[in-house]
């Protein structure tokens, strides 16, 4: 395993009296795609939302333990939540383009977070930054002649790639993807997967997926959750080919879950 970027230590999450995550300890390797798998209700999305403190937006939620990002616990008192969410971006299951132009959707994050609108090191204008991240999301050629048209005019698949470009434009260290292709047709889903593979050399990616086939295609590292507990984690090929836990073996075989 490569050096971890995120270290999760004895993480517990409660929704009211429901103990949703139970003592999770696992590392997320840097610049790889980590897939989180398991049946519905096992805690996959809860784990994902714990990594950028989005859980705090749900009333009655309590979190204990540590999530270390570059060695700093993001739950420590005094940590800037806005900074955490800039460093750890999110791609939701369904696209939600902002009610503005394609161009402004990509530029929006840099503007609200006060990030430079000049490209790093070469003095190029924001136009070039927008182009860079639309290219990174595989969308530039499709929208370059209508950048100032409403984003609502894009297809669902294009909107999801626009949301990917918007997330990448603030240059996050980590990108969290919660079922990022669940609302897409197969061709659009394939394009999202291609872009995730293309950016993993620069961005650590954590993907929640219900699809074992998608996990096979994408994952370098695999985390398997069952009823809020971490059952198994390791290099994806190792877990798929030789799972250590009988529950992992049964889930991968389709016998449970």
């Amino acid at each position: 395993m490569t050096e971890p970027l995120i270290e999760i230590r004895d993480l517990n999450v409660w929704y009211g009296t429901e103990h949703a995550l139970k003592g999770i300890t696992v590392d997320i390797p840097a610049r790889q795609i980590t897939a989180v798998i398991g049946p519905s209700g096992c805690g996959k999305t809860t784990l994902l939302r714990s990594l950028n403190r989005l859980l705090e937006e749900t009333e009655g939620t309590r979190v204990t333990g540590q999530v270390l990002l570059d060695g700093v616990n993001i739950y420590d008192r005094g940590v800037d939540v806005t900074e955490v969410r800039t460093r750890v971006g999110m791609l939701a299951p369904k696209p939600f383009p902002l009610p503005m132009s394609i161009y402004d959707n990509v530029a929006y994050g840099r503007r609200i977070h006060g990030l430079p609108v000049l490209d790093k090191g070469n003095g190029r204008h924001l136009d070039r930054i927008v182009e860079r991240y639309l290219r990174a999301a595989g969308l530039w050629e499709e929208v370059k002649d209508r950048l100032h048209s409403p984003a609502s005019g894009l297809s669902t698949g294009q909107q999801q790639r626009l949301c990917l470009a918007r997330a990448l434009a603030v240059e996050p260290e980590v990108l969290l993807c919660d079922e990022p292709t669940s609302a897409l047709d197969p061709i659009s889903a394939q394009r999202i997967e291609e872009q995730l593979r293309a950016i993993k050399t620069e961005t650590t990616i954590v993907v929640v997926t219900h699809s074992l086939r998608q996990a096979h295609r994408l994952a370098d590292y695999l985390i398997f959750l069952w009823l809020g507990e971490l059952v198994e984690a390791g290099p994806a090929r190792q877990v798929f080919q030789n799972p250590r836990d009988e529950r992992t073996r049964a889930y991968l075989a389709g016998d449970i879950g």
Side-chain angles (χ1 to χ4, degrees):
M1 178 176 172
T2 62
E3 193 72 20
L5 179 63
I6 298 175
E7 301 165 88
I8 303 169
R9 296 292 178 264
D10 194 27
L11 180 68
N12 291 270
V13 176
W14 288 266
Y15 297 120
T17 59
E18 177 192 355
H19 198 177
L21 288 182
K22 304 169 184 176
I24 304 294
T25 294
V26 69
D27 291 338
I28 306 292
R31 291 178 299 281
Q32 292 189 11
I33 298 178
T34 295
V36 184
I37 62 170
S40 296
C42 70
K44 299 187 299 297
T45 295
T46 296
L47 178 63
L48 200 71
R49 290 168 64 88
S50 74
L51 302 183
N52 66 350
R53 293 183 58 170
L54 274 177
L55 286 179
E56 296 175 9
E57 296 183 358
T58 304
E59 188 175 351
T61 301
R62 183 163 64 92
V63 180
T64 65
Q66 296 182 316
V67 175
L68 304 172
L69 176 61
D70 284 335
V72 176
N73 181 20
I74 66 172
Y75 287 94
D76 278 348
R77 185 174 298 176
V79 169
D80 186 337
V81 177
T82 300
E83 180 184 351
V84 169
R85 293 177 185 168
T86 302
R87 296 176 66 190
V88 185
M90 172 73 85
L91 186 62
K94 295 181 180 179
F96 54 99
L98 300 171
M100 52 184 66
S101 70
I102 295 167
Y103 183 103
D104 287 333
N105 262 269
V106 181
Y108 177 79
R110 298 190 71 90
R111 288 169 171 159
I112 65 166
H113 290 297
L115 297 174
V117 294
L118 295 180
D119 222 345
K120 287 183 177 178
N122 56 25
R124 293 174 179 170
H125 190 261
L126 181 59
D127 291 356
R128 299 303 298 271
I129 297 176
V130 170
E131 178 181 345
R132 177 202 290 177
Y133 291 108
L134 285 171
R135 286 188 182 278
L139 191 58
W140 173 253
E141 293 299 329
E142 297 167 47
V143 302
K144 62 183 180 182
D145 296 324
R146 49 175 173 152
L147 292 176
H148 298 289
S149 298
S152 59
L154 298 175
S155 70
T156 302
Q158 289 173 325
Q159 288 181 5
Q160 187 69 325
R161 282 183 284 150
L162 178 63
C163 291
L164 175 59
R166 188 176 69 210
L168 294 176
V170 298
E171 300 176 357
E173 296 172 52
V174 183
L175 180 64
L176 310 177
C177 303
D178 189 4
E179 297 282 352
T181 63
S182 61
L184 305 182
D185 63 86
I187 293 175
S188 296
Q190 181 182 10
R191 288 175 175 168
I192 287 288
E193 290 184 9
E194 288 171 353
Q195 301 315 312
L196 293 180
R197 283 192 291 267
I199 66 173
K200 73 176 184 179
T201 56
E202 297 180 358
T203 307
T204 300
I205 300 170
V206 186
V207 178
V208 161
T209 180
H210 279 100
S211 169
L212 289 178
R213 289 185 177 182
Q214 184 172 72
H216 266 287
R217 290 191 298 268
L218 285 178
D220 302 297
Y221 198 78
L222 203 65
I223 293 173
F224 173 52
L225 299 181
W226 180 264
L227 298 177
E229 297 180 358
L230 174 67
V231 173
E232 190 160 348
R237 181 176 297 180
Q238 172 188 307
V239 175
F240 278 126
Q241 294 181 354
N242 188 30
R244 297 188 303 270
D245 192 281
E246 182 57 38
R247 289 167 293 179
T248 312
R249 188 174 293 109
Y251 181 73
L252 295 178
D255 296 333
I256 61 174

